């Protein structure tokens, strides 16, 4: 099950056509080592949760938190909580926030260097009915629009922290199912430090992107 839209309008055109390309797991070697480059590279790629049910989505929005960024979780060094950010590029870093939501990140840079990319929104591809039950909504564009919703829709929790996203496991990154539209950048959402940095990446025109439309269009 899949949605297409007229780029720039945000209006879905249809909701049933086959995936254009078979999804293959991304190798670690294919991932850029630079955090910002990785955040842009992941737009259009697939994230897939396997197990009893298969759930997947097409990544349409990310935020980069490079080394030395005071708004990033690795800024003050390695801790028991953030150690997955220091493993190598391509590992899952999952944390719990606000007492309500999990957040899914992809570690970046080389081993020992703490940095990551937050997955902010996906376009649902597989397991949509399950996502609707998990999220308690039938509105397709709201299933995984925002990092907390994304994690809930994919059944992400701390058990997946440290999972190798380039290996055969319960959660992995895959190739794009179709060509990606123009990628735009803006400042990041919901931070109070280094707010000027344009490290938020998203597919222009996608109705699955989070954040107010005026913020998307004004930058």
């Amino acid at each position: 099950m899949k949605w297409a839209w007229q780029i720039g309008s945000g209006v879905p055109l249809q909701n049933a056509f086959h995936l254009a390309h078979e999804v293959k797991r991304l190798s670690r070697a294919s991932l850029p080592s630079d955090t910002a480059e990785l955040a842009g590279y992941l737009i259009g790629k697939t994230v897939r949760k396997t197990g009893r049910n298969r759930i997947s989505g097409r990544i349409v929005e990310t935020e980069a938190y490079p080394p030395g960024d005071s708004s990033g979780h690795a800024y003050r060094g390695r801790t028991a909580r953030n150690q997955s950010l220091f493993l190598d590029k391509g590992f899952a870093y999952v944390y719990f926030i606000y007492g309500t939501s999990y957040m899914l990140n992809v570690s970046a840079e080389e081993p020992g260097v703490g940095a990551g990319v937050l997955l902010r929104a996906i376009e649902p591809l597989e397991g949509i009915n399950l996502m609707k039950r998990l999220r308690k909504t039938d509105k397709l564009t709201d299933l995984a629009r925002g990092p907390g919703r994304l994690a809930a829709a994919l059944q992400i929790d701390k058990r997946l922290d440290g999972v190798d996203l380039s290996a055969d496991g319960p959660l992995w990154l895959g190739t794009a199912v179709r060509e990606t539209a123009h990628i735009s950048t803006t400042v990041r959402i919901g931070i109070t430090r280094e707010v000027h940095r344009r490290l938020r990446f998203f597919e222009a025109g996608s109705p699955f992107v989070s954040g107010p439309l005026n913020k998307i269009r004004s930058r």
Side-chain angles (χ1 to χ4, degrees):
M1 189 68 71
K2 187 75 166 50
W3 278 67
W5 61 90
Q6 182 177 349
I7 297 300
S9 72
V11 179
L13 298 179
Q14 60 185 31
N15 65 352
F17 59 89
H18 68 280
L19 302 185
H21 304 287
E22 180 185 355
V23 176
K24 299 180 180 178
R25 192 176 296 105
L26 295 177
S27 68
R28 196 172 331 281
S30 71
L31 303 177
S33 294
D34 178 82
T35 309
E37 288 184 22
L38 177 61
Y41 172 82
L42 288 175
I43 300 297
K45 302 303 189 294
T46 305
V47 58
R48 177 175 282 175
K49 171 85 180 301
T50 59
R52 185 168 62 179
N53 300 289
R54 190 161 76 179
I55 317 172
S56 73
R58 183 173 170 271
I59 300 168
V60 296
E61 183 183 0
T62 61
E63 284 181 346
Y65 291 86
D69 190 316
S70 60
S71 62
H73 282 200
Y75 181 64
R76 299 189 183 280
R78 190 194 304 258
T79 67
R81 181 194 189 201
N82 70 14
Q83 58 185 335
S84 296
L85 286 174
F86 293 81
L87 292 174
D88 198 349
K89 59 186 178 181
F91 285 81
Y93 167 51
V94 179
Y95 63 90
F96 193 62
I97 192 170
Y98 307 132
T100 59
S101 302
Y102 290 98
M103 303 285 170
L104 174 61
N105 302 256
V106 179
S107 62
E109 307 289 334
E110 301 299 326
V113 179
V117 174
L118 173 66
L119 302 190
R120 281 199 58 90
I122 59 172
E123 171 191 345
L125 294 176
E126 300 171 290
I128 291 175
N129 287 335
L130 175 58
M131 288 187 187
K132 288 178 178 180
R133 292 197 298 272
L134 292 168
R135 289 275 299 108
K136 297 180 174 59
T137 180
D138 287 328
K139 189 173 182 181
L140 187 65
T141 53
D142 279 351
L143 292 180
R145 182 172 58 84
R149 293 174 176 179
L150 181 155
L154 291 176
Q155 294 184 305
I156 302 297
D157 59 29
K158 281 290 287 183
R159 289 174 293 183
L160 294 169
D161 182 45
V163 164
D164 187 346
L165 300 175
S166 295
D168 183 10
L171 183 69
W172 48 271
L173 295 169
T175 52
V177 298
R178 68 165 189 272
E179 184 178 351
T180 303
H182 176 70
I183 298 174
S184 296
T185 63
T186 69
V187 296
R188 294 168 293 185
I189 295 174
I191 59 172
T192 57
R193 296 187 294 271
E194 305 207 35
V195 297
H196 64 286
R197 304 185 73 176
R198 298 175 66 88
L199 292 174
R200 175 173 169 250
F201 299 79
F202 61 93
E203 183 176 38
S206 170
F208 301 95
V209 169
S210 70
L213 290 178
N214 61 347
K215 180 173 288 190
I216 293 173
R217 291 170 179 165
S218 66
R219 297 182 182 276

